[in-house]
Amino acid sequence: MKYHRLLLPALLASTPALGQRGVLFGVYDPDSFIEGNATRFIGCHDGREFHSTGCPVRVDTMSTGDEMRAVDGSGRTARVRVEQVYARTGDLYEAPYALSVHDAGPEPGAPMLFWQADAGVRLLAPRAVTLDTAALALLRAEAVRLYQRAEALRAPGDRSESLVLGTPVVRVVEGESRVAVYWPAALAYGSDRDTRASLFFVYDPGARRVVSARFGHPEWAPMRQRDTVCAVEPLLFFRVGSDARTYILARDTGPWEYVGFGVYDLRTGERVLRSR
């Protein structure tokens, strides 16, 4: 399998040393929120790894007038500026910041990943690949298992009849053996189809192993074990500083049409940061 080269050699050259101020990351996306257009992630990156519960020097805020670098999934870069900071009301559809976009050249598309201070961010160009029949059968069986587990926790009258899988999107980046799989799906209710379901996998083709798997839907979740339903849609792939891991910026969609964002580790499939 061939890999694309890095889409950008380096968006920023310098890397914060351990013990210096950690770098805050966030997402600009005017389409996800009614109020505000940007949110930050809880935690930061210290140049070596992400911290979700604390930083070498804690980063707690973004202030009006702050300017940051940003990039979209196509590699278009921009400078973003904090125009307003909102008081949080707890509404799922309100973002805490309003940002403006500058120096973009060809207008970048949302969502955009942005970061505070120098981070040595490198955007990676994913390559679409095709899995063999055995791998697809393994993922299909895991998809059905996750779907049935979630449905068993629903009220009997709310359960769908079956899961109908669409066409999977499988992507890999240079330097990684594991692939990210986004698999759209539908829930069957008689002749009706609810096409908003999906699955997200990290799969290791060499070991023929499902590393991580999630089933998601934007409207419902079991009253118990609500974390069994979470849709993860990969948006862009990147690396930071001297950290050799590949990360995925993803849209997290949960029950009651909640939309958030997460940063996931491609090697484990685990979420390392979630949006505030």
Side-chain angles (χ1 to χ4, degrees):
M1 132 185 348
K2 296 181 180 178
Y3 298 90
H4 281 183
R5 294 185 179 275
L6 296 183
L7 184 59
L8 297 177
L11 297 178
L12 289 176
S14 58
T15 299
L18 187 66
Q20 294 181 350
R21 184 184 185 190
V23 178
L24 175 153
F25 282 75
V27 180
Y28 165 83
D29 186 17
D31 295 331
S32 292
F33 310 104
I34 296 173
E35 298 290 341
N37 58 27
T39 185
R40 55 152 293 189
F41 289 110
I42 301 171
C44 68
H45 196 284
D46 67 3
R48 298 182 182 181
E49 63 183 329
F50 277 107
H51 298 265
S52 61
T53 58
C55 303
V57 175
R58 189 153 177 84
V59 178
D60 286 316
T61 186
M62 285 164 44
S63 302
T64 301
D66 285 355
E67 294 190 354
M68 292 155 287
R69 296 293 300 275
V71 65
D72 71 3
S74 298
R76 292 185 290 264
T77 61
R79 176 173 54 90
V80 295
R81 179 189 300 128
V82 179
E83 301 293 348
Q84 189 169 352
V85 179
Y86 295 97
R88 291 304 303 271
T89 64
D91 193 303
L92 293 178
Y93 306 104
E94 293 182 359
Y97 305 100
L99 271 59
S100 57
V101 180
H102 306 270
D103 303 335
E107 185 174 352
M112 297 182 72
L113 178 72
F114 65 82
W115 55 95
Q116 188 179 55
D118 292 344
V121 173
R122 302 184 304 282
L123 188 69
L124 307 175
R127 172 182 168 83
V129 296
T130 301
L131 297 176
D132 61 29
T133 302
L136 290 175
L138 180 63
L139 292 177
R140 187 176 292 108
E142 181 66 7
V144 172
R145 186 188 73 80
L146 292 174
Y147 156 74
Q148 291 177 340
R149 181 186 68 169
E151 287 281 3
L153 296 172
R154 298 179 77 185
D158 294 334
R159 295 172 186 168
S160 62
E161 297 174 3
S162 63
L163 179 72
V164 181
L165 292 170
T167 301
V169 178
V170 185
R171 289 180 285 185
V172 69
V173 298
E174 182 180 12
E176 296 288 352
S177 60
R178 294 176 176 179
V179 300
V181 182
Y182 178 71
W183 203 329
L187 304 182
Y189 296 87
S191 60
D192 294 332
R193 295 290 185 272
D194 178 350
T195 60
R196 296 173 294 167
S198 66
L199 293 113
F200 171 70
F201 301 99
V202 170
Y203 177 69
D204 188 331
R208 292 198 172 274
R209 181 170 71 91
V210 178
V211 178
S212 178
R214 294 172 186 260
F215 167 76
H217 191 277
E219 186 174 276
W220 62 269
M223 292 305 295
R224 296 176 289 120
Q225 304 180 30
R226 294 182 180 182
D227 60 351
T228 59
V229 177
C230 177
V232 178
E233 178 187 3
L235 300 172
L236 60 86
F237 298 75
F238 66 101
R239 295 191 184 115
V240 185
S242 60
D243 187 347
R245 287 171 287 248
T246 296
Y247 295 103
I248 305 170
L249 171 66
R251 193 192 310 273
D252 288 348
T253 305
W256 307 287
E257 299 183 346
Y258 166 76
V259 176
F261 295 90
V263 172
Y264 289 79
D265 186 336
L266 177 58
R267 297 185 187 181
T268 65
E270 295 301 314
R271 181 169 51 200
V272 296
L273 292 181
R274 67 169 60 213
S275 57
R276 187 177 291 277

